[in-house]
């Protein structure tokens, strides 16, 4: 075949016969027009004149406020087709159940054979072995289809991804992969297939953990949630700060008070043996200080603070840690990473203020999938008065379902950094120490980990100074961000 000058023909081995080309939806045609489409919200797919307001007078022929709002935005001229069944089948009948309205009163059809007669062809997801690497277009899978003898729309060789994963398809006869979970019984009728073993396994493995009830969120929003450990620690911290401030004021003053003179003639033998105070007076003094009897105070209670040596150990040697990723590391993403070998996972960064405000979106970040073997929660904040109560709520509501709590000291986002959270905590080691000590007390046996950066400013690394102090403050693990 002779081609005109300047033509580059396609080589013969890359040419495909026309009958093997599978038609695909033309999305370019749908996006080809840029003219805004007329709103058909009230009148359906009518012409432009019918879409206009039918009011009389000066306002006749003008668009309403809702119609003008519907025209705003880009690509309003796109028209994508929506596939609908020619015969609406009742959802209960489609799932193999009985309809409470009956065939006569239900407004949907109960005739399954009639529905299958007009149902569209099943979709087939090809196996990787069926895809050839020598062709540049989608191959024709109609040659490998196995249609049902009585219902040609059913492809018995197709696989339903939902049924393959859960053992049951909730779409029933309406499923476009119906051939993957249907069979013919002894009487010749089509019945849906269910894998009871896979259903039981899915019911256990797909149930998410760490849900916060509405009553807890209501208490947090109304500031009525009890924080006994946090309140005691914050009061103690305030007293220590006040005592430190008063001592510093005395030291900074110009007046120096001399110590009282000591009597050097006192008999040392008598001072070595102080006078014995009556037992009743000692007990009375102790009761006044502790607010109760000595016998009651010696009884073992669950409020005894957990020592650092009693916290859970983090055995992470040789394991893969999926770092917390904001806006990326959600539960489905972590579930996929666990399937590909991630041993340790951590939720997205949550703000302590939002946790204490009872934010439903923030508390959704602590949800855990049963497949996550070692799971932690990451929190961010700028002061002990928010981070310590948040740690107490997490320990109280999710005891046993949280393996560690990570404090974010490495987030460089301006919104977080300017509020004093994230990597800004590295510039205030005193505050960071109070936060870590308080979180350790509030979390009980749950260990605290820290994520930090090498430094905040360029050329000035501070991680080598912060890490030893963090260990002294009770940190069980430290991770350093490399970006």
């Amino acid at each position: 075949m002779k081609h005109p000058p300047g033509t580059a023909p396609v080589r013969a081995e890359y040419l495909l016969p026309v009958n093997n080309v599978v038609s695909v939806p033309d999305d370019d045609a749908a996006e080809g027009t840029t003219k805004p489409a007329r709103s058909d919200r009230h009148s359906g797919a009518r012409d432009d004149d019918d879409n206009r307001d039918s009011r009389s007078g000066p306002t006749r022929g003008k668009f309403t406020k809702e119609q003008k709002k519907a025209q705003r935005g880009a690509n309003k001229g796109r028209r994508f087709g929506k596939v609908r069944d020619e015969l609406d089948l009742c959802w209960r009948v489609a799932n193999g159940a009985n309809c409470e309205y009956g065939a006569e009163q239900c407004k949907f059809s109960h005739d399954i054979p009639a529905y299958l007669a007009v149902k569209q062809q099943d979709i087939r997801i090809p196996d990787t072995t069926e895809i050839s690497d020598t062709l540049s277009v989608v191959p024709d899978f109609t040659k490998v289809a196995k249609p049902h003898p009585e219902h040609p729309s059913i492809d018995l060789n197709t696989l339903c991804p939902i049924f393959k994963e859960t053992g049951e398809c909730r779409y029933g006869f309406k499923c476009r992969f119906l051939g993957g979970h249907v069979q013919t019984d002894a009487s010749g009728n089509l019945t849906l297939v269910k894998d009871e073993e896979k259903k039981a396994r899915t019911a256990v493995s797909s149930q998410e953990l760490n849900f916060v009830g509405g009553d807890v969120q209501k208490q947090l929003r109304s500031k009525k949630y009890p924080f006994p450990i946090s309140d005691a620690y914050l009061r103690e911290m305030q007293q220590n700060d006040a005592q430190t401030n008063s001592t510093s004021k005395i030291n900074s003053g110009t007046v120096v008070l001399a110590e009282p003179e000591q009597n050097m003639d006192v008999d040392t033998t008598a001072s070595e043996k102080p006078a014995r105070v009556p037992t009743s007076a000692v007990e009375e003094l102790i009761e006044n200080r502790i607010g109760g009897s000595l016998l009651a105070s010696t009884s073992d209670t669950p409020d005894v603070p957990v020592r650092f040596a009693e916290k859970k150990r983090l055995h992470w040697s040789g394991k893969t840690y999926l770092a917390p990723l904001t806006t990326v590391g959600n539960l489905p993403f972590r579930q996929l990473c666990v399937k590909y070998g991630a041993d340790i996972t951590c939720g997205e960064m949550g703000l302590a203020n939002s946790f204490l405000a009872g934010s439903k979106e923030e508390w959704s970040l602590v949800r855990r999938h049963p497949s996550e073997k070692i799971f932690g929660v990451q929190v961010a904040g700028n002061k002990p008065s928010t981070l310590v109560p948040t740690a107490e709520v997490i320990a109280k509501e999710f005891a046993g379902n949280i393996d560690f709590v990570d404090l974010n000291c490495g987030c460089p986002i301006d919104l977080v950094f300017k509020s004093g959270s994230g990597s800004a905590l590295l510039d205030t080691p005193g505050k960071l120490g109070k936060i870590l000590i308080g979180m350790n007390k509030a979390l009980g046996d749950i260990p605290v980990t820290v994520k930090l950066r090498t430094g905040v400013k360029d050329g000035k690394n501070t991680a080598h100074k912060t890490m030893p102090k963090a260990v002294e403050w009770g940190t069980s693990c430290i991770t350093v961000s490399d970006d």
Side-chain angles (χ1 to χ4, degrees), residues 181-232:
H181 50 81
V182 72
Q183 65 180 4
T184 306
D185 57 9
S187 59
N189 298 324
L190 291 176
T191 57
L192 298 174
V193 179
K194 295 182 180 180
D195 192 339
E196 298 297 336
E197 181 180 357
K198 190 175 292 185
K199 282 177 57 179
R201 185 167 61 251
T202 304
V204 177
S205 61
S206 62
Q207 187 176 4
E208 299 176 5
L209 306 174
N210 299 341
F211 279 89
V212 177
D215 53 343
V216 176
Q217 296 182 14
K218 184 177 180 180
Q219 287 182 330
L220 290 172
R221 285 193 292 265
S222 59
K223 310 295 183 182
K224 295 181 179 179
Y225 192 91
F227 298 102
I229 301 177
S230 301
D231 293 342

Side-chain angles (χ1 to χ4, degrees), residues 232-248 434 437 441:
Y233 173 74
L234 293 176
R235 282 196 302 267
E236 180 184 358
M237 188 181 65
Q238 291 176 358
Q239 293 175 0
N240 295 337
D241 292 344
Q243 184 177 1
T244 304
N245 294 334
S246 62
T247 305
S248 61
K434 296 176 183 178
I437 294 174
K441 291 185 176 182

Side-chain angles (χ1 to χ4, degrees), residues 454-474:
T454 55
V456 179
K457 301 178 181 178
D458 293 337
K460 187 177 180 182
N461 296 337
T462 58
H464 61 288
K465 298 180 181 179
T466 306
M467 293 171 69
K469 296 180 180 178
V471 175
E472 295 178 2
W473 295 326

Side-chain angles (χ1 to χ4, degrees), residues 23 29 66 97 124 153 177 180 225 242 289 291 296 313 380 407 446 480:
S23 60
E66 291 79 8
R124 176 178 173 80
S153 63
F177 308 93
Y225 192 91
R289 288 188 176 182
R313 296 300 180 186
L407 176 62
I446 302 177
V480 182

Side-chain angles (χ1 to χ4, degrees), residues 93-271:
V93 176
N95 287 283
N98 295 324
C99 179
E100 63 270 20
Y101 299 103
E104 298 179 356
Q105 297 183 359
C106 184
K107 63 180 181 180
F108 300 103
S109 175
H110 286 198
D111 192 352
I112 295 179
Y115 171 77
L116 296 177
V118 296
K119 185 175 180 288
Q120 291 190 349
Q121 184 71 26
D122 279 356
I123 301 174
R124 176 178 173 80
I125 299 179
D127 190 74
T128 55
T129 59
E130 300 174 353
I131 301 177
S132 175
D133 56 356
T134 59
L135 300 179
S136 58
V137 296
V138 180
D140 187 6
F141 295 108
T142 57
K143 297 181 180 180
V144 295
K146 183 181 178 182
H148 191 274
E150 298 181 2
H151 305 283
S153 63
I154 301 177
D155 183 8
L156 299 179
N157 280 345
T158 189
L159 294 176
C160 178
I162 299 178
F163 176 80
K164 183 180 178 181
E165 183 70 21
T166 63
E168 182 183 18
C169 181
R170 64 187 182 92
Y171 294 98
F173 287 100
K174 286 177 168 285
C175 179
R176 291 298 304 274
F177 308 93
L178 179 58
H181 50 81
V182 72
Q183 65 180 4
T184 306
D185 57 9
S187 59
N189 298 324
L190 291 176
T191 57
L192 298 174
V193 179
K194 295 182 180 180
D195 192 339
E196 298 297 336
E197 181 180 357
K198 190 175 292 185
K199 282 177 57 179
R201 185 167 61 251
T202 304
V204 177
S205 61
S206 62
Q207 187 176 4
E208 299 176 5
L209 306 174
N210 299 341
F211 279 89
V212 177
D215 53 343
V216 176
Q217 296 182 14
K218 184 177 180 180
Q219 287 182 330
L220 290 172
R221 285 193 292 265
S222 59
K223 310 295 183 182
K224 295 181 179 179
Y225 192 91
F227 298 102
I229 301 177
S230 301
D231 293 342
Y233 173 74
L234 293 176
R235 282 196 302 267
E236 180 184 358
M237 188 181 65
Q238 291 176 358
Q239 293 175 0
N240 295 337
D241 292 344
Q243 184 177 1
T244 304
N245 294 334
S246 62
T247 305
S248 61
K249 289 181 180 179
I250 294 176
N251 294 335
S252 60
T254 57
V255 179
V256 179
L257 299 178
E259 295 184 1
E261 297 182 357
Q262 300 180 359
N263 187 5
M264 304 303 295
D265 298 332
V266 178
D267 187 6
T268 57
T269 59
S271 61

Side-chain angles (χ1 to χ4, degrees), residues 62-119:
K62 296 183 179 180
F63 288 106
T64 62
K65 184 177 181 180
E66 291 79 8
Q67 291 173 338
K68 291 180 180 179
K69 186 177 180 181
Q71 295 182 28
R72 301 187 191 129
N75 297 328
K76 288 293 185 176
R78 295 182 298 175
R79 294 294 184 186
F80 294 104
K82 186 175 182 181
V83 179
R84 295 183 179 272
D85 293 331
E86 296 184 14
L87 184 64
D88 288 334
L89 185 66
C90 177
W91 271 103
R92 291 191 174 272
V93 176
N95 287 283
N98 295 324
C99 179
E100 63 270 20
Y101 299 103
E104 298 179 356
Q105 297 183 359
C106 184
K107 63 180 181 180
F108 300 103
S109 175
H110 286 198
D111 192 352
I112 295 179
Y115 171 77
L116 296 177
V118 296
K119 185 175 180 288

